[in-house]
Amino acid sequence: VQLQASGGGLVQAGGSKGLSCAASGSTFSSYVLAWFRQAPGKEREFVAAITRSGYTRYYSDSVKGRFTISRDNAKNTAYLRMDSLKHDDTAVYSCAARKGAVITQRDEYEYWGQGTLVTVSS
């Protein structure tokens, strides 16, 4: 599966932004989807994940209650809605896919899209 993330840009602290991850090349609904992010000078970290059906979602503690992951299997697209953004949310956000169970370890995701930069101004 090929993934392409989009939607990044500049947003003020307290604002909202939505990211999209478009998939192609394989059966989208066969994959668990996740979002990761990498801030300057830091390692890539798990943000959120969603099961194949979309019924179950997982979040890191740092974004729980502010971010929402979703997917539309008919459109082969996953989304990340980010609300109440903070300066610390500034990072390159990447979507990733894997078959099998939902996990948070980045090295276990086989397919990655290019990142999209989100900058939160304070």
Side-chain angles (χ1 to χ4, degrees):
V1 64
Q2 291 80 48
L3 304 173
Q4 183 167 357
S6 62
L10 179 65
V11 60
Q12 288 189 333
S16 299
K17 181 159 277 294
L19 303 181
S20 297
C21 176
S24 62
S26 190
T27 306
F28 181 68
S29 59
S30 299
Y31 297 89
V32 165
L33 265 292
W35 287 93
F36 289 79
R37 68 184 182 184
Q38 186 168 21
K42 296 186 178 181
E43 293 189 351
R44 184 177 288 178
E45 65 174 358
F46 171 78
V47 175
I50 190 167
T51 55
R52 296 177 194 80
S53 65
Y55 289 152
T56 307
R57 309 172 191 193
Y58 302 81
Y59 299 95
S60 67
D61 289 341
S62 61
V63 307
K64 195 174 298 182
R66 300 188 298 120
F67 289 14
T68 303
I69 188 172
S70 61
R71 67 189 296 164
D72 185 337
N73 287 341
K75 295 183 178 180
N76 291 345
T77 303
Y79 306 94
L80 185 67
R81 171 72 179 183
M82 304 182 291
D83 297 314
S84 302
L85 281 162
K86 306 175 182 178
H87 179 68
D88 287 348
D89 294 319
T90 295
V92 174
Y93 286 75
S94 301
C95 55
R98 73 183 305 270
K99 291 192 174 182
V102 171
I103 55 176
T104 62
Q105 289 82 3
R106 63 180 184 270
D107 293 343
E108 298 298 324
Y109 281 80
E110 306 151 283
Y111 306 98
W112 290 83
Q114 92 291 349
T116 185
L117 175 63
V118 174
T119 303
V120 183
S121 62
S122 54

